[in-house]
Every structure is written in C-alpha cells, then in structure tokens.
Amino acid sequence: MHDPAEFKAYHAGILDAIQKSGAYMSHHHGIGKMFAPWLEGFLGKNQYEVFRTLKAHFDPDNIMNPGGTLAFDLSEEEKIPIDKSFMNN
C-alpha cells in the first residue's frame, strides 16, 4: 500500500478483530503508537490508570516519551473501546 490513510484503515481493521476476539495485542516489540488507541480498551480503565499513576510518579515532568505508546495524549474520542460481548458466549 502506498496511501497512509488506506494502510491505517487496514491496520485498524486487524486491531479491531484482535481486540474483539480477546487476543493479546502486544508482541515482542510491545504495543507501539499505532496500537495505542486500543490499549485502554484492552486493559480496562482501572488497569490503565495504574500505568498513568506509575508514569506520573516516575516521570512527574513528563519528559520520558511524552504521550508515547501509552496513549495518554489521546482524547476519549480517539480511544477504541473493547466489545467484551464475546466473553459472555
């Protein structure tokens, strides 16, 4: 693919499918900024807040990877919530 928007849409479809199936999103390179919108939905709000609290404690001036792969710089609209209905089947 040569169109970045087309690639991003293609990749988003893959990540949506991974998340809806309950599979793990991370691999040996970690989450990465492209996966970041799915991170809070995957972990859950409470678990995600643990990361936010640790980041604030160890990096109070936000100089290490600001925003970064934990998606703390994303708005609520940019985050992808997980559909956990598959877990009830």
Side-chain angles (χ1 to χ4, degrees):
M1 289 179 200
H2 298 287
D3 178 22
E6 181 183 6
F7 175 76
K8 190 171 183 179
Y10 171 77
H11 198 262
I14 293 169
L15 293 173
D16 285 342
I18 289 170
Q19 191 174 61
K20 286 177 183 173
S21 73
Y24 288 96
M25 294 179 12
S26 181
H27 68 11
H28 64 282
H29 289 295
I31 294 293
K33 233 176 155 40
M34 194 168 202
F35 287 54
W38 286 264
L39 184 59
E40 184 178 335
F42 176 72
L43 292 174
K45 283 202 175 289
N46 291 336
Q47 294 83 343
Y48 187 71
E49 284 303 313
V50 170
F51 285 111
R52 187 183 303 279
T53 300
L54 289 169
K55 170 83 164 129
H57 175 78
F58 289 108
D59 184 22
D61 296 323
N62 198 32
I63 60 173
M64 296 184 294
N65 196 17
T69 59
L70 295 176
F72 295 145
D73 58 338
L74 296 179
S75 69
E76 289 301 313
E77 294 79 32
E78 292 173 293
K79 295 176 185 176
I80 312 293
I82 188 169
D83 175 10
K84 295 188 179 190
S85 62
F86 71 89
M87 294 178 179
N88 299 326
N89 296 327

